[in-house]
Amino acid sequence: MALVEELLLQLSNRGILLGSVLMLLLVVYLLLFDSQQKWKEPPGPKPLPILGNLLELDLKRLYLSLCLMSKQYGSVFTLHFGPKKVVVLAGYQTVKQALVNHAEEFGERDINPILYDFNKGYGILFSNGENWKEMRRFALNTLQDFGMGKRGSEEKIIEETHYLIEMFKESKGKPFDTTQPVTYAVSNIISTIVYGSRFEYSDPVFKGMVKRANENIRLTGSASIQLYNMFPWLRFCLKNWKRIMSNCEQNIKEIKVLKDGLQETLNSQESRGLVDCFLVRKQYAEESREKNTLFHEQNLIHTVTNLFAAGTDTTAATLRWSLLLMAKYPHVQNRVQEEIDRVIGGCQIVMEDRKKLPYTDAVIHETQRLANIVPMGLPHTTTCDVHFQGFIIKKGTCVVPLLASVLRDENEWESPNTFNPEHFLDDQGQFVKREAFMPFSAGRRVCLGESLARMELFLFFTSLLQHFRFTPPPGVSEDQLDLTPAVGLTLHPSTHKLCAVTRKA
Ligand code: HEM
């Protein structure tokens, strides 16, 4: 009997031991399995060797391919642009969560080959770390000193609206392409802030700088430059790359000439613009033998090229969209003009008037939403391994905040694909802000010129609508005005002409 009891005891002890081991293994397995399940990389289409997912993408309209893919793979997905892994963020909730709630982790710029070629890591747009921080802070402070979002810029913009109105009048109601006058007027605002004075629209140096800056932004969005970003060794056989490089060289030459002129007449007590402020700061760094100062020539030149390009292309394109949309939707134009006539009459429009013009304000916001000027934002990169929405995104992964998917998010907008100013109006016809209105992106790298751009859009748009009726050319119906954007890094209207008919006072 004792023997049997002993045997049973041993067996039960072994059973407990075995059971415990099995339990332990199960726990370890579950932990591992669970963590793998929890922290896998975002899903996406299977990449081919070298080509990645290239064959599934329309390189000319990349943002549309990405919007389509987000329907299949969800709001966070992985893609391979050639050999390069990219994580795409789609929809308002996801983009906001990443750029705002995880601002630090998603806050660096991914500097792909063409972006590096532009600025060699200097300036603001395509730089990181201390360089970016110092240049962004300097530019923001200086732009504010020169009136960004304040009366200073308001006066400059109002002065420029008069030149633009004169240019439009010269067309005498006949069809004309709005690109040049609008771009020159907008460019003159940032030029005044940067250099301290405006240019004549006929100035060949100015015309050249504007043309080259715009051309570079357009070519950067071309299929061949997308390919170059994936396979940089292709550059020597790419016409567009050579063109971009020669434009950059020429722009740098012109900026140096302008800078030298300002240097000769520099008065440290009275800065005329951002370049003067930079030169004074540079001189101080030299005199006090500041070690490792970032106020050097390279940063001056690339900060200026950044502000000039970013400050011209986007705002001018938006303004051109607004005029095209007015010609296409005359009933909306009627309501804008009725509101301006009733509230302002023939007086000079100022920023203070914005709150008294809710419908007009809604039209400007809706233009920005639908025009979707920077559809893929600018590329970001992760500063560390990020755990995001159940996925892991490894440090140094390129992240695309797909702004197009935010501005047309079906969960946020009542009619995402149509021009509908009511998106920004309440039942009483008052202007309402919408969270998903994110054309300037958000978070740490949010557009530095947002308040300047908003002021420009309001003052230029309202002044033009106060003076002119915009219509399609004779023989062209409103329906025939094409809203398909031209290909580029930023989305411009396709080439078109409009008539600006002077309104009776
Ligand atoms: C309608 C007009 C404009 C739109 C839609 C726009 C949009 C944007 C967007 C989407 C970005 C990328 C933000 C990101 O990386 O997440 C950006 C960056 C930037 N924008 Fe604008 N922008 C406009 C006007 C301007 C103006 C007028 C200026 C010049 C004062 C400007 C200067 C910049 C700069 C310097 C950056 C780089 C910020 C950084 O990397 O820290 N932008 N803008």
Side-chain angles (χ1 to χ4, degrees), residues 298-352:
Q298 290 279 52
N299 261 332
L300 171 56
I301 286 176
H302 293 295
T303 300
V304 168
T305 57
N306 284 172
L307 293 173
F308 193 80
T312 299
D313 176 88
T314 44
T315 318
T318 311
L319 206 50
R320 289 183 57 233
W321 276 115
S322 70
L323 303 182
L324 178 60
L325 286 163
M326 289 306 93
K328 187 159 182 79
Y329 300 112
H331 61 287
V332 176
Q333 187 173 188
N334 288 344
R335 281 188 69 181
V336 170
Q337 286 175 331
E338 182 281 318
E339 189 177 62
I340 294 177
D341 292 349
R342 178 167 41 82
V343 178
I344 314 287
C347 300
Q348 174 63 55
I349 302 179
V350 293
M351 283 312 292
E352 267 292 296

Side-chain angles (χ1 to χ4, degrees), residues 190-237:
I190 194 69
S191 298
T192 312
I193 293 174
V194 168
Y195 298 112
S197 58
R198 66 182 293 280
F199 295 89
E200 290 301 325
Y201 294 168
S202 55
D203 183 332
V205 172
F206 178 58
K207 285 168 89 164
M209 288 196 309
V210 172
K211 181 169 167 275
R212 287 188 296 271
N214 283 356
E215 190 173 45
N216 276 4
I217 293 176
R218 183 172 54 78
L219 295 178
T220 302
S222 66
S224 66
I225 296 299
Q226 311 280 348
L227 277 177
Y228 162 62
N229 282 334
M230 299 170 204
F231 309 106
W233 42 266
L234 279 175
R235 63 179 167 278
F236 295 112
C237 43

